[in-house]
């Protein structure tokens, strides 16, 4: 969807009360997700997407808690609920995000790339952002000095504190760009990493980037063979033909507040529902 179109719709969405949007859509459970929260966006991310500062994030949470109750996964009751998650396993999760969530007693899922934990390697896009910042950046030195990713110790601590862990692929590839057997390997290996090393009992997997272009055969394979319990996409508020593939809201995408972004997602869902286009089809 074009950013300009989304922003125009958002102006209409803002004048409709949130409870009206929830009622008209019938969608009581939402899944907003983020990457990091930082008052000082790190060089490996700042050239990629807008980052929430602490004040903006607290404001997002105020909006969410006003209209929804925070829920772990899977959600157990039928009230208006939000299930929060964070992708890419970055160190800000431990240093900034978790303390804010603990203070408010908000549960969350942290999705990790198994090859990057403990700063053993780095996501390609972060290298691009670093090179934009400074073409001479030594990546290995950056990994050692800056430690952009969570360490195993930090992840274990987060797990003991009650957070849920999920998998996000081994190396964060675009799934539609790799063969199906490699998609399965990335999914299975990263889920095993999370369950075997950190005692996570749920097998949760969030697609790197998007689940666009993923075939039915992939979903049939991983659900029938119990490789994953649930998978997560990034298409916003949408229904999916696979009930166990849950679409999440990429709140950071256009740099709008959670209030403005989520209300717009609701309005777009209602419009699509009327025109029968609210399903992700494959
Ligand atoms: Zn990611």
């Amino acid at each position: 969807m074009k950013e300009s179109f989304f922003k125009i719709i958002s102006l209409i969405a803002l004048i409709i009360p949130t409870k009206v949007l929830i009622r008209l859509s019938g969608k009581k459970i939402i899944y907003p997700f983020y990457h990091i929260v930082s008052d000082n966006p790190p060089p490996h991310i700042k050239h990629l997407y807008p980052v929430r500062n602490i004040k903006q994030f607290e404001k997002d949470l105020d909006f969410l808690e006003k209209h929804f109750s925070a829920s772990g996964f899977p959600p157990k009751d039928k009230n208006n609920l939000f299930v929060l998650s964070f992708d890419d396993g970055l160190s800000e999760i431990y240093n900034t995000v978790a303390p804010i969530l603990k203070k408010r007693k908000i549960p969350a899922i942290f999705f990790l790339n198994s090859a990057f934990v403990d700063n053993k390697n780095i996501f390609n896009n972060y290298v691009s952002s670093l090179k934009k910042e400074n073409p001479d950046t030594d990546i290995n030195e950056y990994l050692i000095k800056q430690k952009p990713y969570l360490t195993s110790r930090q992840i274990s601590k987060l797990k003991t504190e009650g957070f849920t862990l999920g998998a996000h692929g081994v190396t964060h590839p675009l799934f539609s760009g790799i063969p199906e057997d490699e998609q399965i390997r990335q999914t299975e290996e990263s889920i095993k990493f999370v369950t075997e090393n950190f005692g996570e009992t749920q097998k949760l997997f969030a697609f790197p980037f998007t689940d666009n272009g993923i075939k039915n055969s992939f979903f049939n394979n991983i659900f029938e063979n119990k490789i994953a319990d649930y998978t997560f996409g990034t298409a916003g508020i949408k229904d999916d033909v696979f009930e166990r593939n849950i679409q999440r809201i990429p709140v950071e995408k256009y740099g709008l507040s959670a209030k403005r972004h989520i209300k717009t997602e609701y309005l777009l869902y209602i419009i699509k529902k009327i025109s029968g286009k609210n399903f992700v089809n494959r």
Side-chain angles (χ1 to χ4, degrees):
M1 176 174 309
K2 286 252 168 63
E3 185 171 343
S4 51
F5 177 71
F6 192 93
K7 284 182 174 167
I8 290 166
I9 296 289
S10 77
L11 299 175
I12 307 164
L14 275 175
I15 53 179
I16 308 172
T18 305
K19 59 176 183 222
V20 173
L21 291 167
I22 299 173
R23 198 173 59 233
L24 289 176
S25 66
K27 294 291 271 189
K28 290 182 161 188
I29 305 177
I30 55 168
Y31 294 83
F33 82 97
Y34 295 82
H35 294 84
I36 61 167
V37 172
S38 174
D39 284 346
N40 240 328
H44 57 279
I45 290 184
K46 81 180 197 204
H47 301 287
L48 299 179
Y49 48 79
V51 168
R52 288 289 201 276
N53 64 34
I54 293 174
K55 204 176 155 197
Q56 291 167 327
F57 184 60
E58 297 264 17
K59 223 178 148 195
D60 283 1
L61 296 177
D62 290 342
F63 165 77
L64 288 165
E65 291 196 296
K66 186 177 168 193
H67 301 282
F68 306 84
S69 302
S71 170
F73 189 84
K76 288 189 178 66
D77 59 65
K78 291 191 163 65
N79 296 323
N80 296 348
L81 301 173
F82 72 97
V83 179
L84 209 54
S85 56
F86 292 80
D87 287 5
D88 298 5
L90 294 153
S91 62
E92 286 82 357
I93 297 296
Y94 185 82
N95 297 321
T96 311
V97 173
I100 296 172
L101 298 182
K102 279 188 280 178
K103 208 169 58 193
R104 291 178 180 245
K105 297 191 170 59
I106 297 177
I109 314 169
F110 301 132
F111 290 103
L112 314 169
N113 294 112
S114 53
F116 306 150
V117 165
D118 289 319
N119 298 286
K120 288 193 293 257
N121 213 330
I122 189 166
F123 174 27
N124 285 337
N125 286 18
Y126 294 168
V127 174
S128 313
S129 180
L130 282 169
K131 296 285 179 189
K132 255 187 206 165
E133 181 80 2
N134 173 10
D136 295 326
T137 306
D138 180 328
I139 303 299
N140 286 326
E141 195 184 286
Y142 187 84
L143 280 169
I144 294 166
K145 283 196 177 155
Q146 298 303 317
K147 297 187 175 51
Y149 288 101
L150 291 167
T151 64
S152 296
R153 259 189 73 188
Q154 291 171 333
I155 296 168
S156 297
K157 181 105 187 291
L158 291 167
K159 178 70 191 146
T160 355
E161 288 171 347
F163 291 105
T164 302
L165 304 173
H168 195 44
V170 178
T171 53
H172 207 292
L174 175 65
F175 264 42
S176 58
I178 57 175
E180 196 164 316
D181 56 349
E182 176 62 6
Q183 294 174 357
I184 304 280
R185 186 191 75 85
Q186 289 264 349
T187 307
E188 191 164 23
E189 198 176 314
S190 59
I191 290 176
K192 273 193 179 157
F193 175 83
V194 167
T195 53
E196 288 173 6
N197 291 304
F198 303 105
E200 178 54 62
T201 50
Q202 300 194 71
K203 293 188 272 187
L204 309 180
F205 179 80
F207 289 94
F209 300 107
T210 172
D211 63 344
N212 250 344
I214 306 299
K215 300 218 171 83
N216 289 347
S217 49
F218 170 88
F219 289 102
N220 288 329
N221 187 336
I222 58 155
F223 293 138
E224 276 166 24
N225 294 311
K226 297 192 164 41
I227 293 170
D229 299 328
Y230 289 90
T231 56
F232 297 82
T234 55
I237 300 182
K238 280 230 173 76
D239 298 319
D240 201 286
V241 281
F242 287 94
E243 263 177 43
R244 282 174 177 263
N245 188 43
I246 294 164
Q247 295 299 340
R248 299 178 298 157
I249 305 171
V251 200
E252 293 158 327
K253 195 171 179 182
Y254 302 129
L256 303 176
S257 67
K259 178 181 179 180
R260 189 165 164 193
H261 192 109
I262 290 167
K263 289 182 82 169
T264 310
E265 288 278 359
Y266 264 111
L267 182 56
L268 288 167
Y269 179 87
I270 293 162
I271 296 167
K272 284 179 198 146
K273 196 176 166 187
I274 295 164
S275 57
K277 286 180 183 162
N278 53 337
F279 260 93
V280 173
N281 284 310
R282 288 186 185 82

